[in-house]
Amino acid sequence: MRSHFLGIPEVTRAPAVAVVIDVLRAFSVAAWAFAAGAEKIVLASSEDEALELKARHPDWLALKDGAPAPGFDAFNSPAMLATHDLPGRTIVQKTTSGTVGALAVADARLLLCASFVVAGATARLLREHGAQEVTFVVTGEEGRAEEDRACAEYIGRRVESAEVDAEPYLRRARDSRWADALAQGARRGLPGVHQDDVRLCLETDRFPFAMVARREGALMVLRPVPAPPG
C-alpha cells in the first residue's frame, strides 16, 4: 500500500481513499463517544453551523475545542465527555483541526477518521477494501503534529501486518508538543482539558470499530463501522 502524508494546507483535491488523523483530541473523542453509545457525529464547518444545528435539534449535543462558548454542551475532551448521557445521541462536533481536515477531503470515495484508539480497526478496514493508495491527512500543526504523523504511520504499518509494535509510535505521541501542552493545561486547570485526556487518547487499539464519514444530505456524518477481525 502506498501512503501519502499531507497537512490540511496541502490538500488540493479529494483522494480516492483518505484517513484523517486527529489524535489529540477530536477523533479520540469521537471514538470514545461511539463506545459510550452515541449514534452519529455531525462534523460542522464552523461554530455558527454547529449552533444552528443545535438550535434546530435541541436534543443534539454540541461540542467544540478551546474555550467555553454559549450554546455548546460539552468540551472536546474524552474524559469530560464521559459525564454526558450519550446512548442514542447525535453529537455535533467542531474542532480546529480534526473536523476541518475531514471536510477538506469530504468527496473521497472512502473517508475514515482515526486516532490510536481505533488504529487497528482502521487498518483492517483499509485491508478489507483492498486500498492500494491511501492519503493520510495529518491535521495537527499544518501536518507537522508528531502525534498525528506517528498514528498515521502506525496505521499504515498495520495494514501490512498485524504484528507491529505500537510503543515507538506511542512514545512519539507522548513526547509531542501538543501532548505536553494538554498536560500543562490540565495542571493549570484550563477549562476543557482533563488530566486523563492524553492517556485516554493513547489507549492503542482500544475499540473494534473504524469510523467512516459520508455525506448524508447536506451534512457530513461520522458513524462507527465494525472492522473485520484479524
Side-chain angles (χ1 to χ4, degrees):
M1 185 187 80
R2 287 187 297 170
S3 297
H4 307 278
F5 304 93
L6 301 178
I8 296 172
E10 298 172 293
V11 175
T12 58
R13 60 182 178 83
V17 179
V19 181
V20 183
I21 308 291
D22 191 332
V23 172
L24 298 172
R25 299 167 283 174
F27 297 138
S28 298
V29 168
W32 281 98
F34 288 135
E39 179 185 351
K40 65 180 183 288
I41 295 176
V42 177
L43 305 178
S45 61
S46 67
E47 291 186 15
D48 285 344
E49 182 190 11
L51 292 176
E52 288 170 7
L53 289 167
K54 170 70 176 179
R56 296 205 304 267
H57 306 276
D59 57 325
W60 289 10
L61 186 146
L63 69 83
K64 65 180 289 293
D65 56 5
F72 285 89
D73 308 294
F75 292 107
N76 189 53
S77 159
M80 292 180 175
L81 195 63
T83 64
H84 292 270
D85 181 31
L86 297 180
R89 298 287 295 277
T90 293
I91 296 173
V92 182
Q93 186 180 39
K94 169 65 181 85
T95 69
T96 305
S97 300
T99 58
V100 174
L103 292 169
V105 289
D107 292 325
R109 288 204 307 268
L110 175 63
L111 172 52
L112 306 176
C113 296
S115 60
F116 276 107
V117 295
V118 292
T122 302
R124 294 195 301 274
L125 193 63
L126 288 170
R127 192 184 310 130
E128 181 185 57
H129 278 262
Q132 298 299 307
E133 190 166 355
V134 176
T135 295
F136 290 93
V137 181
V138 179
T139 62
E141 300 179 44
E142 298 186 338
R144 297 187 299 274
E146 188 64 15
E147 71 278 2
D148 293 340
R149 179 62 183 253
C151 183
E153 293 176 5
Y154 176 64
I155 292 171
R157 288 287 309 280
R158 286 292 304 271
V159 174
E160 305 298 332
S161 171
E163 302 301 321
V164 179
D165 182 9
E167 183 53 34
Y169 303 93
L170 287 170
R171 187 180 308 117
R172 290 163 57 189
R174 284 194 298 266
D175 293 343
S176 69
R177 187 194 69 81
W178 188 233
D180 181 63
L182 286 173
Q184 290 189 36
R187 286 193 291 271
R188 296 199 305 269
L190 291 182
V193 183
H194 192 280
Q195 63 182 0
D196 290 334
D197 279 349
V198 173
R199 177 183 62 80
L200 293 174
C201 290
L202 300 185
E203 289 196 15
T204 310
D205 302 333
R206 179 71 168 77
F207 303 119
F209 54 81
M211 300 186 296
V212 177
R214 297 188 181 94
R215 293 189 188 277
E216 297 185 11
L219 302 178
M220 196 67 183
V221 177
L222 187 65
R223 294 182 185 269
V225 175

